[in-house]
């Protein structure tokens, strides 16, 4: 079961990196005049709740994994992801997450948005490597058995020969 959750975290983080890549592509389309500000604002306002919801689900899985499979990388990922989710919730509660088409060309909006995207890349990139490490650890941390000795585990005499 831990393997399924570890792989879910890894794939979920790849999807979060995909959301960040989508935002970067939308910014480049806007700057190159391939997209108008209204469409840009609509697309960004659509992606933000999806990103935040997936991040919350991944944090719940992470918390369960810390309880079930205690490890420093997992705990570090909870702290990083939890802090970033707290920041997202702060923006969401204050209704500061919505993109206003009238403010798209404002230099402070552009700088703030690009900084948020850069922080997102750093956070999700860090979590990706922590989740990758955790997935490898879960996959390689299965109990090892000797095929001959493991088959006789219930045998009272054991598998050793005396003599």
């Amino acid at each position: 079961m831990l393997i399924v959750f570890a792989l879910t975290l890894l794939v979920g983080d790849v999807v979060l990196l995909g959301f960040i890549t989508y935002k970067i592509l939308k910014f480049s389309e806007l700057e190159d005049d391939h997209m108008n500000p209204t469409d840009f604002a609509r697309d960004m306002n659509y992606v933000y709740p999806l990103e935040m919801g997936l991040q919350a689900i991944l944090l719940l899985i992470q918390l369960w994994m810390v309880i079930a499979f205690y490890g420093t990388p997992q705990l570090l990922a909870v702290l990083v992801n939890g802090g970033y989710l707290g920041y997202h919730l702060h923006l969401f509660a204050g209704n500061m997450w919505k993109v206003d088409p009238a403010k798209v060309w404002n230099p402070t909006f552009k700088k703030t948005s690009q900084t948020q995207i850069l922080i997102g890349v750093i956070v999700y990139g860090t979590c990706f490597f922590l989740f990758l490490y955790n997935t490898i650890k879960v996959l390689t941390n299965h109990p090892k058995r000797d095929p001959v000795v493991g088959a006789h585990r219930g045998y009272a005499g054991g598998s050793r020969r005396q003599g």
Side-chain angles (χ1 to χ4, degrees):
M1 193 64 167
L2 284 175
I3 293 171
V4 172
F5 285 124
L7 289 173
T8 302
L9 288 174
L10 188 65
V11 170
D13 194 62
V14 169
V15 172
L16 288 174
L17 284 168
F19 282 145
I20 291 291
T21 304
Y22 180 79
K23 288 180 180 181
I24 292 170
L25 290 174
K26 289 298 172 185
F27 262 103
S28 69
E29 287 179 6
L30 181 70
E31 289 178 351
D32 292 340
D33 287 333
H34 295 293
M35 177 177 272
N36 64 34
T38 306
D39 292 337
F40 173 78
R42 185 193 67 228
D43 290 346
M44 294 301 240
N45 290 339
Y46 179 75
V47 167
Y48 190 84
L50 296 175
E51 178 184 359
M52 191 175 65
L54 179 59
Q55 191 178 7
I57 291 169
L58 292 180
L59 185 62
L60 290 174
I61 294 171
Q62 284 177 296
L63 290 172
W64 183 85
M65 294 264 310
V66 165
I67 293 168
F69 184 72
Y70 181 76
T72 306
Q74 193 65 34
L75 195 58
L76 180 61
V78 166
L79 294 175
V80 170
N81 202 10
Y84 195 55
L85 180 62
Y87 174 70
H88 275 172
L89 289 174
H90 167 72
L91 291 177
F92 194 77
N95 214 16
M96 297 179 283
W97 63 278
K98 289 191 176 179
V99 177
D100 184 12
K103 296 181 181 178
V104 166
W105 296 114
N106 188 349
T108 57
F109 168 78
K110 183 178 176 182
K111 183 174 176 144
T112 303
S113 296
Q114 288 177 342
T115 303
Q116 288 175 351
I117 288 173
L118 180 63
I119 291 170
V121 168
I122 292 169
V123 167
Y124 297 146
T126 302
C127 285
F128 174 78
F129 287 109
L130 292 171
F131 293 156
L132 182 63
Y133 174 79
N134 187 50
T135 302
I136 292 169
K137 190 173 179 182
V138 168
L139 288 172
T140 59
N141 199 19
H142 60 281
K144 295 180 176 33
R145 297 184 322 170
D146 183 14
V148 175
V149 176
H152 301 291
R153 202 169 280 252
Y155 181 65
S159 63
R160 293 186 182 184
R161 292 186 181 171
Q162 296 187 7

